[in-house]
Amino acid sequence: MQVVSLIPHPSSRPHRDVAVQVTVEAAGRGYALAYQVAGVSRLCIDGRGVGRTDELWRHTCFELFVRTVGATAYREFNFAPTAAWAMYDFDDWRSGMRSPPVKHTPGVVDGRISGRKPTFGAYALYVTIDAALLPQGPMIAAPTAVIEAIDGSKSYWAMAHPPGEPNFHHPACFALDLSPPTAA
């Protein structure tokens, strides 16, 4: 199990009580992630339905970018508090984007509905990703979050940020080493 704290992008102006933490652990044939937010009283959660949905990053959204170590191609996952999700493949940094077909959908559960009490902060989103949705071999990942406050302001959170504007696709954001999940 790995627990990482995300930091806001320097240009972001998050409310001072907001903090974001991600727990990643191997689970069965994939990974389980818990995105947890402190300062939830200021978190805006809009109604975007459930299932596969585009443009989730426009509001509160939790993300995971993952690629095989040494590769330039990567996969992006987006998860919304409404249980909506998205998945995209890229051939290289922000190029060759496509939305691949899936046999196994990620499991997304809003912590307010699951009844599970967050261990950090006041809000949690729980996600499971089957190994069939992940690259094969040693991986490097970028867990990220877009946090929208009730006043409409947004902050952008990652383990590391490149210079310039927020850009979760940038190789500098891929800062979490992952071992391949093992079969259960």
Side-chain angles (χ1 to χ4, degrees), residues 29 59 135 138 154 159:
R29 289 186 7 90
H59 300 284
K154 292 180 187 155
M159 290 177 64

Side-chain angles (χ1 to χ4, degrees), residues 12 16 19 30 41 49 51 84 88 103 108 145:
S12 293
R16 71 171 183 244
S41 63
Y88 308 100
K103 289 183 182 179
V108 183

